[in-house]
Each structure stands twice: as C-alpha cells, then as structure tokens.
Amino acid sequence: MKSWHPRLGVALCIISVLILTACGGSTTTTGGSSSSSGGSATKTHLSIMVGGLSKQIYLPNMLTKQLGYFAQEGLDVTLIDEASGQSSEDSVLAGQVDAGSGSYNHTIELQVAGKKMETVLMMNVAPGEAEVISAKKANQIHSLKDLKGKNLGVTELGSGTQTLTIALLHNVGISQDQVHFVPVGAGDTFIAALQQGRIDAGMTTEPTISRLTSTGAGKVLVDLRTPESTQTALNGPYPFIGLFMKNDYVASHKDVVQKIVNAYVKTLKWMHTHSAAEIADKMPPDYYAGNKALYVTALQNQLAIFSPDGAMPTGGPQSVLNIENQTNQSVQGKQIDLNTTYTNDFVSKAS
C-alpha cells in the first residue's frame, strides 16, 4: 500500500470543497463576489485553510463562523482543515486558498525566500502549547536537557511546533541535530505516537495536553499556555497563531480584508466577555473528543493566550525574529523588514 502524503490530503480537500460548491448551484470566485442561484444577497466567498480546526489555539476560526460574524460582514467563508500551519502557508502561496491560519513566524521565514506574506490579525499572544513527555519516560526526562538524543513529536516538519521546540532546546544548549523530529500531527495521532513509544516527548496543543495529563499518559515538561510562562521559557513574548495572506492580495482586496478582520475582532471581544463553558457551547460537539468537561477545563487553562483585540503585541515581531536568528540558519544574518510581515491597519479600523 502506498503511503499517504500530506500534500495529497491538501489537494483532495480543496478539490472536495470546489465540487461541493459547484453542486450547490452557486457561482463563486475566490476573493471575489458570489451570488446564489436563489437570488439572495451577493456575498464574497473566501477560503481559509486552518492548521487544525479542532485545536483550541485555532478556536477563533470556527467560533467566528458559529457566531455568524462572517455572514454579518457579507462573507461566505469556507474553512478547510489541515494538519498544520505549514500546509496552510503552502496553500496560500500557491493561490489555492485566500488566507491561512498558522504561526506568525512563517511570514518572517518566507521573506528570506523572497516571498511576501503578512499577518493581518493575531489570535494568540502566546503559543498555547506544551512540551509533553511520555509517562513511560518520566523517570528519564526531568528537564529539557534530558531531551538530547530523543524522538520528539511535532505536527509537521517545518511547522511552528518544531520552531518552538528548537527554541527551547537552544536555550539549554541542545542543537536541532541532536534530537530526532517526528511528524505526528495532533489529537489522536499525537496521543497514539506517545503511547506506542514512537516519540518520547512532543510539542502539542489543547485539548490534547489535557487528554494526556488527565489519564496519566503524559506529563507537561514546559508550559507555554500563558503569556507569563511563555516569557519565562522563551526569554520574550511569542505571538503565535494569526491570519495571514499574501501581501499583494491584501493590497488589492483591502475592503475584503477589512470585513474578515472585523469578523474576527468581534469574536475575540466576545470571547473576553464569556466563560470557557459558554465558548465551548458554541463549538461543534466533535471538538470535545468525547469529553466536554475536559475540553472546558483545557480552554480555561489557556484563555489568556487569546488576543483581546487582534493586534500584534508591541515587541512581539522582534522577539520572534530573535528566536528565528537563534534557531533558523536560513534567517541568520539576513535583513528582515518586519513591517511587511504583519499589519495592524485593519485591526485599528475594525468595527
């Protein structure tokens, strides 16, 4: 049997969306106007690829749809689920989707490669991740230094989870070639990899973290689920998940970008006036992984990572660049114009 390639998954997912759109009798143009055959009001269709819809760090994407804020802005948004932000980045660059939801550091790395993409809204002001070790290895792994030579899980090679892991290892004098990175996704696939011994530890998100710790299968080694713990672990702030688009798309579709940022800002403000339980009530039931109470607890543990207004935190881009210079050889020594990797223009005008 041939192995499944993640890029094939992306392609099939996008093809499926296009087929469903065609079967629905609508005429849509990516990033343009679309009107249904029933004569309803014209709406702008947008496709957004998300690096893991059920991961809580990406929660604002589905929540915005569930709250109806996309529709309020005259947008018909298709959310496409993919394993990691790395895949989202690739699909945005290829023009397969209009926007991607993934880690901010991708926009810095792309500039080195001569590609321009910018984050137009920040969802997370901290990663909301944790390095979790297998309970079977708890007697061997007591600190980050003990990860040397170990198999470490990340969602995908080149993903934000790998960058974070490399940064943590760098701070204790371990280079990335002194560990073995294994792409294992998140959720059930991450848990299986840890329990089966394919990885000794790994960087993952909620609710996977709480699923592992509640059963005793895993133990948190380094916690990045609050801005304060992130500051301590990484020696600075680390804005993480946002919404990114190609710079030329943003320049030529300012009205559309403003509408989508408006929708997300409404969601972020709504989140900061509601409890974790109330937020969870709005999410699809399958996101709970069979345990809604645990989902709520996990969300409560990291509510502080969600931006109150969608703006890039002051000092955030430079802090991320500092880490890139420490951990990424392709970035080291290169001139980076941070002003083209993000913008607060749309957030400042959001209504």
Side-chain angles (χ1 to χ4, degrees):
M1 180 180 293
K2 293 182 178 180
S3 62
W4 178 263
H5 194 283
R7 293 295 178 271
L8 178 59
V10 174
L12 290 177
C13 185
I14 293 171
I15 291 171
S16 298
V17 170
L18 293 176
I19 290 174
L20 288 172
T21 301
C23 291
S26 299
T27 57
T28 62
T29 302
T30 302
S33 298
S34 66
S35 58
S36 68
S37 55
S40 60
T42 299
K43 287 190 176 181
T44 299
H45 175 74
L46 285 170
S47 54
I48 302 173
M49 183 167 282
V50 182
L53 272 170
S54 63
K55 300 176 189 176
Q56 287 188 352
I57 57 173
Y58 289 98
L59 182 148
N61 291 286
M62 180 57 74
L63 183 58
T64 303
K65 194 174 186 72
Q66 296 288 91
L67 291 173
Y69 291 153
F70 287 137
Q72 283 184 18
E73 291 292 329
L75 302 174
D76 174 23
V77 173
T78 298
L79 296 175
I80 303 172
D81 194 13
E82 188 43 52
S84 76
Q86 179 70 37
S87 298
S88 302
E89 167 198 317
D90 293 342
S91 295
V92 171
L93 290 173
Q96 296 169 326
V97 294
D98 302 298
S101 186
S103 55
Y104 162 67
N105 69 296
H106 290 313
T107 65
I108 294 176
E109 294 171 354
L110 285 171
Q111 189 174 125
V112 175
K115 301 172 183 177
K116 293 185 177 181
M117 189 163 69
E118 61 185 318
T119 295
V120 298
L121 171 130
M122 288 306 308
M123 300 177 198
N124 302 164
V125 293
E129 307 252 2
E131 186 71 18
V132 180
I133 62 172
S134 168
K136 299 174 184 178
K137 301 287 183 177
N139 62 336
Q140 303 173 26
I141 302 174
H142 305 286
S143 70
L144 283 169
K145 291 183 178 180
D146 297 323
L147 294 181
K148 186 177 180 179
K150 298 295 191 293
N151 294 321
L152 305 182
V154 294
T155 53
E156 188 175 357
L157 297 180
S159 66
T161 55
Q162 185 174 13
T163 298
L164 286 170
T165 306
I166 294 172
L168 291 173
L169 294 173
H170 172 83
N171 288 344
V172 295
I174 299 175
S175 62
Q176 56 185 300
D177 59 358
Q178 292 178 309
V179 300
H180 309 287
F181 288 109
V182 183
V184 293
D188 291 339
T189 56
F190 183 97
I191 292 172
L194 200 69
Q195 293 178 327
Q196 293 166 7
R198 290 193 289 119
I199 59 174
D200 303 303
M203 184 68 68
T204 192
T205 60
E206 291 287 12
T208 305
I209 299 167
S210 292
R211 289 175 64 188
L212 285 165
T213 56
S214 67
T215 61
K219 178 182 178 182
V220 172
L221 183 67
V222 179
D223 199 338
L224 304 177
R225 287 176 292 177
T226 69
E228 293 77 18
S229 62
T230 297
Q231 178 83 27
T232 299
L234 297 176
N235 301 318
Y238 198 88
F240 198 48
I241 300 302
L243 186 76
F244 47 63
M245 300 174 174
K246 290 193 292 186
N247 292 49
D248 57 0
Y249 179 95
V250 174
S252 59
H253 295 78
K254 289 184 177 181
D255 56 335
V256 175
V257 177
Q258 187 64 64
K259 289 179 181 179
I260 198 165
V261 169
N262 288 347
Y264 277 105
V265 170
K266 289 178 184 176
T267 297
L268 292 170
K269 290 181 177 180
W270 185 92
M271 290 179 68
H272 282 270
T273 57
H274 291 75
S275 67
E278 290 171 324
I279 295 170
D281 284 341
K282 296 294 184 180
M283 304 306 291
D286 60 320
Y287 282 31
Y288 308 146
N291 191 333
K292 185 176 180 180
L294 182 64
Y295 184 90
V296 172
T297 299
L299 182 57
Q300 181 62 49
N301 288 339
Q302 61 169 357
L303 274 179
I305 72 168
F306 295 104
S307 170
D309 55 13
M312 174 66 77
T314 302
Q318 185 61 53
S319 180
V320 174
L321 177 58
N322 291 343
I323 289 176
E324 287 290 321
N325 278 319
Q326 294 170 357
T327 61
N328 191 332
Q329 290 184 349
S330 67
V331 175
Q332 292 170 1
K334 301 295 193 303
Q335 287 295 114
I336 302 294
D337 182 4
L338 288 175
N339 291 327
T340 64
T341 64
Y342 76 97
T343 177
N344 280 328
D345 290 350
F346 299 96
V347 168
S348 66
K349 298 174 184 176
S351 56

mmCIF file of all heavy atoms in Angstrom, residues 26 57 66 95 99 111 121 136 186 199 220 229 231 246 271 273 288 312 320:
data_model
loop_
_atom_site.group_PDB
_atom_site.id
_atom_site.type_symbol
_atom_site.label_atom_id
_atom_site.label_comp_id
_atom_site.label_asym_id
_atom_site.label_seq_id
_atom_site.Cartn_x
_atom_site.Cartn_y
_atom_site.Cartn_z
ATOM 1 N N SER A 26 -24.010 27.457 -6.788
ATOM 2 C CA SER A 26 -23.536 28.820 -6.600
ATOM 3 C C SER A 26 -22.410 29.114 -7.569
ATOM 4 O O SER A 26 -21.683 28.230 -7.981
ATOM 5 C CB SER A 26 -23.024 29.010 -5.160
ATOM 6 O OG SER A 26 -24.054 28.793 -4.228
ATOM 7 N N ILE A 57 -6.018 26.368 20.022
ATOM 8 C CA ILE A 57 -5.314 27.592 19.640
ATOM 9 C C ILE A 57 -5.911 28.206 18.376
ATOM 10 O O ILE A 57 -5.769 29.400 18.132
ATOM 11 C CB ILE A 57 -3.806 27.349 19.448
ATOM 12 C CG1 ILE A 57 -3.547 26.266 18.398
ATOM 13 C CG2 ILE A 57 -3.127 27.028 20.757
ATOM 14 C CD1 ILE A 57 -2.083 26.094 18.037
ATOM 15 N N GLN A 66 -19.391 30.048 13.760
ATOM 16 C CA GLN A 66 -20.513 29.614 14.599
ATOM 17 C C GLN A 66 -21.321 30.797 15.127
ATOM 18 O O GLN A 66 -22.549 30.712 15.287
ATOM 19 C CB GLN A 66 -19.985 28.788 15.772
ATOM 20 C CG GLN A 66 -19.310 27.477 15.389
ATOM 21 C CD GLN A 66 -20.282 26.416 14.915
ATOM 22 O OE1 GLN A 66 -20.567 26.305 13.718
ATOM 23 N NE2 GLN A 66 -20.817 25.653 15.827
ATOM 24 N N GLY A 95 -1.899 29.983 -4.116
ATOM 25 C CA GLY A 95 -3.152 30.567 -4.592
ATOM 26 C C GLY A 95 -4.324 29.619 -4.518
ATOM 27 O O GLY A 95 -5.384 29.881 -5.088
ATOM 28 N N ALA A 99 -6.582 32.716 2.359
ATOM 29 C CA ALA A 99 -5.914 33.030 3.616
ATOM 30 C C ALA A 99 -5.583 31.751 4.355
ATOM 31 O O ALA A 99 -6.141 30.689 4.088
ATOM 32 C CB ALA A 99 -6.803 33.930 4.479
ATOM 33 N N GLN A 111 10.025 35.657 3.912
ATOM 34 C CA GLN A 111 10.688 36.840 3.364
ATOM 35 C C GLN A 111 12.108 36.514 2.932
ATOM 36 O O GLN A 111 12.597 37.027 1.921
ATOM 37 C CB GLN A 111 10.688 37.978 4.389
ATOM 38 C CG GLN A 111 11.154 39.288 3.806
ATOM 39 C CD GLN A 111 11.018 40.453 4.772
ATOM 40 O OE1 GLN A 111 11.972 41.153 5.046
ATOM 41 N NE2 GLN A 111 9.821 40.670 5.290
ATOM 42 N N LEU A 121 -4.045 39.743 11.325
ATOM 43 C CA LEU A 121 -4.741 39.689 12.612
ATOM 44 C C LEU A 121 -4.083 38.628 13.472
ATOM 45 O O LEU A 121 -3.746 37.550 12.989
ATOM 46 C CB LEU A 121 -6.222 39.356 12.411
ATOM 47 C CG LEU A 121 -7.019 39.068 13.682
ATOM 48 C CD1 LEU A 121 -8.311 39.892 13.702
ATOM 49 C CD2 LEU A 121 -7.366 37.584 13.802
ATOM 50 N N LYS A 136 5.911 6.998 30.452
ATOM 51 C CA LYS A 136 6.878 5.891 30.485
ATOM 52 C C LYS A 136 8.319 6.405 30.551
ATOM 53 O O LYS A 136 9.230 5.653 30.916
ATOM 54 C CB LYS A 136 6.699 5.011 29.246
ATOM 55 C CG LYS A 136 5.320 4.376 29.135
ATOM 56 C CD LYS A 136 5.171 3.641 27.812
ATOM 57 C CE LYS A 136 3.766 3.082 27.651
ATOM 58 N NZ LYS A 136 3.579 2.406 26.336
ATOM 59 N N ALA A 186 -1.628 15.955 15.482
ATOM 60 C CA ALA A 186 -2.129 16.345 16.805
ATOM 61 C C ALA A 186 -3.314 15.456 17.159
ATOM 62 O O ALA A 186 -3.719 14.586 16.384
ATOM 63 C CB ALA A 186 -2.540 17.814 16.804
ATOM 64 N N ILE A 199 7.453 8.345 19.864
ATOM 65 C CA ILE A 199 8.081 9.585 20.329
ATOM 66 C C ILE A 199 8.219 9.522 21.847
ATOM 67 O O ILE A 199 7.430 8.862 22.528
ATOM 68 C CB ILE A 199 7.288 10.842 19.926
ATOM 69 C CG1 ILE A 199 5.855 10.801 20.484
ATOM 70 C CG2 ILE A 199 7.274 11.005 18.408
ATOM 71 C CD1 ILE A 199 5.061 12.078 20.251
ATOM 72 N N VAL A 220 3.433 17.336 31.528
ATOM 73 C CA VAL A 220 3.930 18.592 30.956
ATOM 74 C C VAL A 220 5.341 18.871 31.461
ATOM 75 O O VAL A 220 5.593 18.914 32.660
ATOM 76 C CB VAL A 220 3.003 19.774 31.308
ATOM 77 C CG1 VAL A 220 3.628 21.095 30.874
ATOM 78 C CG2 VAL A 220 1.639 19.595 30.640
ATOM 79 N N SER A 229 4.246 32.328 31.322
ATOM 80 C CA SER A 229 5.112 31.153 31.234
ATOM 81 C C SER A 229 5.892 31.145 29.934
ATOM 82 O O SER A 229 7.032 30.680 29.871
ATOM 83 C CB SER A 229 4.289 29.867 31.369
ATOM 84 O OG SER A 229 3.338 29.742 30.321
ATOM 85 N N GLN A 231 6.952 33.902 28.346
ATOM 86 C CA GLN A 231 8.012 34.897 28.550
ATOM 87 C C GLN A 231 9.204 34.268 29.268
ATOM 88 O O GLN A 231 10.360 34.487 28.895
ATOM 89 C CB GLN A 231 7.461 36.064 29.379
ATOM 90 C CG GLN A 231 8.459 37.159 29.711
ATOM 91 C CD GLN A 231 8.643 38.174 28.599
ATOM 92 O OE1 GLN A 231 7.728 38.383 27.800
ATOM 93 N NE2 GLN A 231 9.809 38.793 28.539
ATOM 94 N N LYS A 246 -1.197 36.735 1.324
ATOM 95 C CA LYS A 246 -0.119 37.296 0.510
ATOM 96 C C LYS A 246 -0.248 38.813 0.498
ATOM 97 O O LYS A 246 -1.355 39.354 0.437
ATOM 98 C CB LYS A 246 -0.183 36.734 -0.920
ATOM 99 C CG LYS A 246 0.191 35.271 -1.029
ATOM 100 C CD LYS A 246 0.421 34.827 -2.458
ATOM 101 C CE LYS A 246 -0.869 34.847 -3.267
ATOM 102 N NZ LYS A 246 -0.654 34.258 -4.628
ATOM 103 N N MET A 271 -15.199 36.570 23.101
ATOM 104 C CA MET A 271 -14.540 35.574 23.949
ATOM 105 C C MET A 271 -14.144 36.154 25.299
ATOM 106 O O MET A 271 -14.206 35.464 26.324
ATOM 107 C CB MET A 271 -13.296 35.019 23.251
ATOM 108 C CG MET A 271 -13.582 34.135 22.052
ATOM 109 S SD MET A 271 -12.060 33.539 21.259
ATOM 110 C CE MET A 271 -11.434 32.435 22.548
ATOM 111 N N THR A 273 -15.636 38.297 27.017
ATOM 112 C CA THR A 273 -16.788 38.629 27.857
ATOM 113 C C THR A 273 -17.635 37.398 28.153
ATOM 114 O O THR A 273 -18.760 37.520 28.649
ATOM 115 C CB THR A 273 -17.672 39.704 27.191
ATOM 116 O OG1 THR A 273 -18.102 39.235 25.896
ATOM 117 C CG2 THR A 273 -16.909 41.008 27.022
ATOM 118 N N TYR A 288 -15.005 18.146 21.182
ATOM 119 C CA TYR A 288 -14.804 17.800 22.584
ATOM 120 C C TYR A 288 -14.062 16.472 22.760
ATOM 121 O O TYR A 288 -13.655 16.140 23.871
ATOM 122 C CB TYR A 288 -16.148 17.694 23.319
ATOM 123 C CG TYR A 288 -17.067 18.875 23.168
ATOM 124 C CD1 TYR A 288 -18.451 18.685 23.141
ATOM 125 C CD2 TYR A 288 -16.584 20.180 23.050
ATOM 126 C CE1 TYR A 288 -19.317 19.757 23.002
ATOM 127 C CE2 TYR A 288 -17.443 21.252 22.908
ATOM 128 C CZ TYR A 288 -18.821 21.041 22.878
ATOM 129 O OH TYR A 288 -19.685 22.090 22.732
ATOM 130 N N MET A 312 -1.175 42.935 16.808
ATOM 131 C CA MET A 312 0.150 42.369 17.073
ATOM 132 C C MET A 312 0.709 43.043 18.321
ATOM 133 O O MET A 312 0.788 44.274 18.384
ATOM 134 C CB MET A 312 1.075 42.617 15.883
ATOM 135 C CG MET A 312 2.514 42.182 16.125
ATOM 136 S SD MET A 312 2.713 40.405 16.333
ATOM 137 C CE MET A 312 2.580 39.850 14.618
ATOM 138 N N VAL A 320 10.106 37.349 18.099
ATOM 139 C CA VAL A 320 10.034 36.171 17.226
ATOM 140 C C VAL A 320 11.237 36.124 16.297
ATOM 141 O O VAL A 320 11.826 35.058 16.068
ATOM 142 C CB VAL A 320 8.718 36.172 16.417
ATOM 143 C CG1 VAL A 320 8.703 35.030 15.393
ATOM 144 C CG2 VAL A 320 7.511 36.045 17.351
#
